[in-house]
Amino acid sequence: MTEQDKIHYFDWAATSPADPDIMQDSVNMALANWGNPSSIHKAGTEAKAILTQARETCACVLGVKPEMLFFTSGGTESDHIPLLSMLTRPSAGTILISAIEHPAIREQAMALTHCGWKIVTIPVNTEGFITPDAVISHLTDDTILVCVMAVNNETGAIQPVYEIADALIAVSRGKRKPKLHIDCVQAAGKIPFDLSYHGIDSAAFSAHKICGPRGSGLLYLASDITPFLRGGGQEKNVRSGTENISGAFALSKCLERYFISPDNPKAVKRFDEQKTWTEKFIKNIAGIKNCTLIPHQRAQAVIAGRKETAEKFSPWIVQAGFAGIPGQVMVRALSSRGFYISTGSACSAKKQERPILEAMKVTEQERESAVRFSFGPHTTQTAMSELFTAVSDVSESFSGKAIK
């Protein structure tokens, strides 16, 4: 991939270009520190010190205690650990998952049905949001776990996870509260997020979504769990296996550089810029005659200047459909011009299924034409303008043609 390819890369929600400085520092650190952190000799203790520092850095950035953080192989494993811990319980119960979850949650949760667990899907509204009322109305006496993602990976809808946490606490007064797990993969480094908020019991993070390496993730646990998978007892027995020190080091540096908080004014400034740039991009593509923003309400809010509604969506993700142009055709047409987008979750791309849009009751025609534009901290305003021009040209070139 060339530098020009990186400039016109608009699939950041699938993966991000690695931060060269952080990755180089990570490689240099790994070459100099090859010990196993479980070893008690000098090489091991030096490696353990680096792992400890990485955990403390992550904890400082996220505003939680270091002992609440566990390094994993990525967002998927961080989602799986709380789910699989349900199998250590003496009897099965009910797990609630939102209708818009990533396959890491959705598919693993459904696998638990073979072990006697009941999986209940919380419906999403047409705007792409899970409401606290919808969660509460689906609770049962044996609900043990509730899973709701922070930011949807296809629509960018920011879920009201704080309000859901409050609602679960309120409805559970005097009895056991179901655990609340949050998939934060599209939130970290993308929107301000308070991990220490009361009622959030666990959360998943991934390094490669914020300019870090693939194969490195983070799991937050507000309290102890009993892990289903066992091994050498690393990571306080939550995630056994020799630790990926290089990945942990890189992830800590990525969080430090890109996490959006008052302590990181540079990231806040970049976030505010992206909100302005994405608003302009939405207005522009909404003007293409065969374009429909998904959900429709987002474009309406941006065009009408309703900031409160527009800001319920991540400025880093925009989904739209172009009538008469199948999504995969639009992806290939833009790729041939050197612009890179997707039709949705990279994990589901080959299946050509759109369960999230289907749950939102998006029409079949719109689902088939829907594509996702996703941006990152290295996206430029000029590149976004060039993307709009390319999309407009592709749309015009296919105007009036029957495409299959």
Side-chain angles (χ1 to χ4, degrees), residues 244-262:
N244 175 4
I245 300 176
S246 176
F249 174 90
L251 173 53
S252 71
K253 296 301 181 182
C254 287
L255 282 174
E256 202 170 37
R257 182 168 291 181
Y258 296 108
F259 194 76
I260 300 169
S261 76

Side-chain angles (χ1 to χ4, degrees), residues 241-290:
T242 303
E243 298 92 341
N244 175 4
I245 300 176
S246 176
F249 174 90
L251 173 53
S252 71
K253 296 301 181 182
C254 287
L255 282 174
E256 202 170 37
R257 182 168 291 181
Y258 296 108
F259 194 76
I260 300 169
S261 76
D263 295 328
N264 191 355
K266 186 175 180 180
V268 172
K269 179 177 181 293
R270 181 65 188 86
F271 176 61
D272 289 338
E273 284 177 343
Q274 191 61 43
K275 287 191 287 188
T276 300
W277 298 353
T278 298
E279 181 179 299
K280 181 178 180 180
F281 179 76
I282 288 174
K283 288 178 179 177
N284 283 339
I285 65 168
I288 298 175
K289 62 181 179 181
N290 65 334

Side-chain angles (χ1 to χ4, degrees), residues 359-380:
M360 292 169 57
K361 296 182 171 53
V362 174
T363 67
E364 183 178 357
Q365 291 78 10
E366 288 180 349
R367 293 200 305 270
E368 289 179 353
S369 69
V371 294
R372 179 183 68 187
F373 308 99
S374 54
F375 318 111
H378 303 314
T379 302
T380 66

Side-chain angles (χ1 to χ4, degrees), residues 129-136 139 146 148-150 158-173 177 180 182 191-194 197-200 308 311-312:
F129 297 101
I130 301 297
T131 67
D133 287 344
V135 174
I136 300 306
L139 286 177
V146 176
V148 180
M149 64 185 354
I158 301 172
Q159 303 305 313
V161 293
Y162 306 136
E163 291 84 350
I164 290 171
D166 289 341
L168 287 172
I169 291 172
V171 79
S172 302
R173 286 198 177 98
K177 182 187 83 69
L180 176 61
I182 308 295
I191 63 169
F193 190 81
D194 182 5
Y197 195 85
H198 60 258
I200 296 177
E308 186 176 345
E311 293 190 357
K312 289 182 179 179

